[in-house]
């Protein structure tokens, strides 16, 4: 094993930027910094432990399910393209230590095990998040998969190709869980979803989650709610064969873990960098790590400010990661940019059911001390008489007395999910539900009823707020 220390800078007066992580946030930061400064001013070294860079992790369920036929379609920019832009990208190289005091990182070649130190003037931490694996017997057995990276997706597809049986169990019913349930249904598997919550999609209120439960059962998915997994059984060959809860045992030829992710901040923690209540790195508005002059962080390893509740949250989404990277790269390159926060918008689907939310759930509002009114309405995606109109349910929360919009949840078929963007803009602008009723939204029978479902909910909420 070799150990050397690379000198800081290039000898031409250039600063060195080191980036840990080669996906959305890290390579967006590197690319933006390169646009702002040439190689004679800024040397960029990036480390990625996996096989791929700059890919869409959000597209993995659709690749596994067959909607996206080619893995490479998910890759926005290959390593060779980054290197052609004067970025020294080192693949299959894992950073194992950050030495903030001396301004350097230690990295290990995954294949050879050789280690070396690389010094930096500026550092970007974009280590992402890791799937949560339950601490129980069988969780690491062959046939059990978390799905977070492109490497994870490839390993799962390889398992599906080798597996003779057609029984799949998905543990967890959040975004990853429901999307992977659809992927496995598309692959012809009998799918059981085991969920510790009372309803799927804990990012929704339970009454809206119930709609998701009913729809998934209607698609042939077996839903097991309010059930905590206690262990995973393995067969004589060591492979997973069943998922066990307190109330039952569910045979499985493959198991997908969809119980969420946690920030991959072990390196940052060991380096003494500040972490929040959710385990993510804490940054300022410029995405600089708090208390550090030359260290930035972005993507799934950081916590972000919720503009509605005023609290820090961990939200692992590619939209945020790419924005973080742009902000970081601009600041590293000598410009100025900020990331003010989020309102918690997310959209997903399982088969033809679309699921969307933004802002606060009821329990979120209660936790931060907000009093609110909630309304739920039923409407359609198009004018009721127009062919293809499908039902949707919209739930809206508004602050008592002020009428400020606090959150929206939507469950429906085609045309339902992206309507949440109306509410996301209204939340960001701090609008009241009364103000929302006057929004000049596009209308024609193929696209919406005369009163868009979001505005119907806003009208009903405004009436309820006035009466409170």
């Amino acid at each position: 094993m070799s150990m050397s220390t690379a000198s800081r800078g290039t000898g031409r007066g250039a600063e060195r930027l080191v980036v840990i992580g080669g996906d959305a946030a890290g390579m967006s930061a590197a690319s933006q910094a390169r646009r702002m400064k040439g190689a004679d001013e800024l040397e960029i070294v990036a480390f990625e432990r996996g096989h791929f860079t700059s890919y869409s992790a959000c597209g993995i369920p659709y690749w596994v399910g067959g909607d996206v036929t080619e893995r490479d379609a998910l890759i926005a920019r290959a390593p060779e393209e980054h290197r052609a832009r004067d970025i020294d990208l080192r693949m299959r190289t894992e950073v194992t230590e950050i030495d903030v005091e001396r301004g350097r990182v230690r990295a290990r070649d995954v294949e050879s095990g050789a280690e070396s130190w690389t010094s930096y003037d500026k550092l970007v931490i974009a280590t992402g998040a890791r799937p949560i694996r339950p601490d129980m017997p069988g969780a690491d057995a062959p046939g059990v998969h978390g799905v977070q990276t492109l490497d994870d997706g490839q390993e799962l597809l390889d398992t599906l190709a080798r597996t003779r049986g057609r029984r799949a169990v998905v543990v967890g019913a959040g975004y990853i869980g429901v999307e992977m349930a659809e992927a496995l249904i598309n692959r012809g598997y009998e799918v059981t979803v085991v969920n510790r919550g009372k309803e799927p999609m804990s990012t929704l209120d339970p009454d809206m989650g119930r709609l998701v439960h009913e729809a998934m059962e209607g698609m042939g998915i077996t839903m097991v709610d309010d059930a905590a997994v206690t262990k995973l059984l393995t067969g004589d060959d060591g492979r997973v064969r069943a998922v066990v809860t307190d109330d039952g045992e569910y045979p499985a030829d493959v198991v997908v873990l969809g119980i969420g992710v946690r920030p991959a901040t072990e390196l940052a923690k060991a380096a003494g960098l500040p972490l929040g209540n959710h385990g993510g790195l804490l940054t300022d508005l410029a995405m600089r790590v708090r208390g550090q002059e030359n260290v930035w962080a972005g993507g799934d390893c950081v916590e972000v400010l919720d503009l509605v509740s005023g609290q820090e949250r961990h939200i692992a989404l590619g939209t945020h990661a790419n924005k973080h990277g742009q902000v970081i790269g601009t600041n590293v390159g000598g410009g100025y940019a900020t990331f003010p926060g989020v309102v918690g918008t997310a959209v997903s689907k399982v088969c033809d059911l679309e699921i969307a939310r933004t802002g606060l759930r009821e329990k979120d509002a209660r936790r931060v001390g907000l009093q609110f009114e909630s309304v739920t309405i039923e409407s359609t995606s198009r004018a009721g008489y127009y062919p293809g109109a499908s039902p949707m349910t919209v739930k809206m929360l508004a602050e008592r007395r002020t009428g400020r919009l606090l959150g929206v949840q939507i469950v429906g078929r085609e045309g339902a999910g992206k309507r949440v963007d109306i509410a996301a803009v209204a939340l960001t602008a701090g609008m009241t539900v009364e103000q929302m009723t006057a929004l000049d939204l596009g209308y024609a029978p193929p696209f919406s009823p005369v009163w868009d479902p979001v505005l119907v909910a806003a009208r009903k909420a405004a009436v309820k707020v006035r009466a409170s």
Side-chain angles (χ1 to χ4, degrees):
M1 179 181 295
S2 65
M3 181 71 72
S4 63
T5 301
S7 60
R8 186 177 298 193
T10 64
R12 296 172 294 167
E15 292 186 310
R16 177 182 288 153
L17 167 65
V18 167
V19 178
I20 308 173
D23 198 10
M27 297 318 294
S28 290
S31 298
Q32 178 65 6
R34 174 56 73 230
R35 292 186 193 101
M36 300 191 70
K37 284 191 173 183
D40 58 334
E41 296 181 279
L42 184 68
E43 177 189 5
I44 303 176
V45 180
F47 297 100
E48 168 55 44
R49 68 181 179 184
H51 293 87
F52 309 100
T53 60
S54 301
Y55 57 86
S56 172
C58 301
I60 293 172
Y62 309 108
W63 168 43
V64 172
D67 295 311
V68 177
T69 57
E70 296 294 332
R71 179 191 66 200
D72 289 355
L74 302 181
I75 299 174
R77 190 169 290 173
E80 296 75 17
E81 296 176 87
H82 288 298
R83 292 176 184 133
R85 291 168 170 81
D86 290 318
I87 297 172
D88 180 4
L89 175 58
R90 304 176 188 181
M91 300 298 294
R92 301 293 286 155
T93 307
E94 180 177 16
V95 172
T96 57
E97 184 179 349
I98 299 171
D99 183 349
V100 176
E101 191 69 28
R102 299 177 67 177
R104 61 181 188 166
V105 302
R106 180 163 59 182
R108 179 179 63 87
D109 184 290
V110 174
E111 306 296 340
S112 70
E115 294 189 340
S116 62
W117 286 98
T118 302
S119 59
Y120 64 81
D121 297 288
K122 297 176 179 179
L123 176 67
V124 174
I125 302 172
T127 46
R130 291 194 179 95
I132 296 172
R133 280 190 177 262
D135 184 14
M136 65 180 63
D140 294 320
V144 180
H145 293 267
V147 183
Q148 179 68 12
T149 67
L150 214 56
D151 289 279
D152 295 335
Q154 186 63 65
E155 289 173 7
L156 174 57
L157 278 173
D158 291 344
T159 292
L160 297 180
R162 293 192 303 262
T163 302
R164 293 182 179 179
R166 310 302 292 176
R167 298 168 300 181
V169 174
V170 178
V171 180
Y175 290 106
I176 296 172
V178 300
E179 289 171 356
M180 292 310 302
E182 175 184 4
L184 292 164
I185 283 282
N186 289 346
R187 288 282 176 182
Y189 279 75
E190 298 175 14
V191 178
T192 299
V193 176
V194 179
N195 173 37
R196 69 181 305 166
K198 293 189 179 298
E199 301 293 351
M201 298 298 297
S202 61
T203 52
L204 306 177
D205 287 323
D207 53 337
M208 297 295 281
R210 167 50 50 173
L211 300 177
V212 178
H213 175 112
E214 293 170 352
M216 290 178 72
E217 284 195 328
M219 298 167 191
I221 298 169
T222 301
M223 298 297 297
V224 183
D225 291 322
D226 202 15
V229 175
T230 56
K231 59 183 175 180
L232 281 67
L233 300 181
T234 56
D236 294 338
D237 57 358
R239 295 182 54 79
V240 68
R241 66 172 181 84
V243 173
V244 180
T245 71
D246 287 333
D247 300 320
E249 180 178 312
Y250 304 94
D253 301 299
V254 63
V255 172
V256 175
L257 301 176
I259 52 181
V261 298
R262 59 168 57 98
T265 50
E266 296 84 2
L267 282 174
K269 183 178 181 180
L273 299 176
L275 305 183
N277 293 331
H278 305 282
L281 276 157
L282 297 176
T283 69
D284 62 17
L285 291 175
M287 302 307 297
R288 183 183 281 106
V289 174
R290 295 180 193 175
Q292 298 292 322
E293 183 63 28
N294 295 309
V295 182
W296 287 261
D300 294 354
C301 66
V302 306
E303 297 188 12
V304 293
L305 176 65
D306 186 313
L307 297 174
V308 186
S309 70
Q311 296 189 337
E312 304 287 344
R313 297 179 60 188
H314 177 246
I315 304 176
L317 284 176
T319 50
H320 302 166
N322 279 283
K323 291 172 187 174
H324 294 169
Q326 288 290 308
V327 169
I328 292 168
T330 298
N331 291 323
V332 167
Y336 174 70
T338 62
F339 184 80
V342 303
V343 294
T345 308
V347 62
S348 186
K349 78 177 199 63
V350 53
C351 298
D352 65 341
L353 184 73
E354 300 181 4
I355 307 158
R357 59 74 52 89
T358 189
L360 306 182
R361 300 164 296 180
E362 290 188 0
K363 68 178 183 180
D364 299 325
R366 293 191 187 98
R367 186 173 59 246
V368 297
L370 291 170
Q371 295 189 7
F372 59 89
E373 302 292 343
S374 70
V375 299
T376 302
I377 66 99
E378 305 285 340
S379 186
T380 56
S381 58
R382 303 171 178 174
Y385 56 80
Y386 193 89
S390 59
M392 75 173 69
T393 303
V394 179
K395 181 174 183 177
M396 184 172 288
L397 273 63
E399 186 176 18
R400 190 169 292 174
R401 293 181 58 201
T402 70
R404 177 171 67 109
L405 178 67
L406 296 180
V408 170
Q409 300 164 38
I410 303 174
V411 176
R413 259 68 187 186
E414 183 182 0
K418 285 294 282 180
R419 274 185 162 87
V420 78
D421 289 343
I422 303 168
V425 173
L427 279 169
T428 304
M431 296 179 72
T432 67
V433 288
E434 187 77 51
Q435 290 171 327
M436 288 182 68
T437 63
L439 287 174
D440 186 13
L441 304 183
Y443 161 70
F447 303 104
S448 170
V450 172
W451 279 91
D452 188 272
V454 173
L455 299 192
V456 174
R459 288 178 61 188
K460 189 172 180 180
V463 170
K464 200 166 183 180
V465 166
R466 287 196 296 266
S468 63

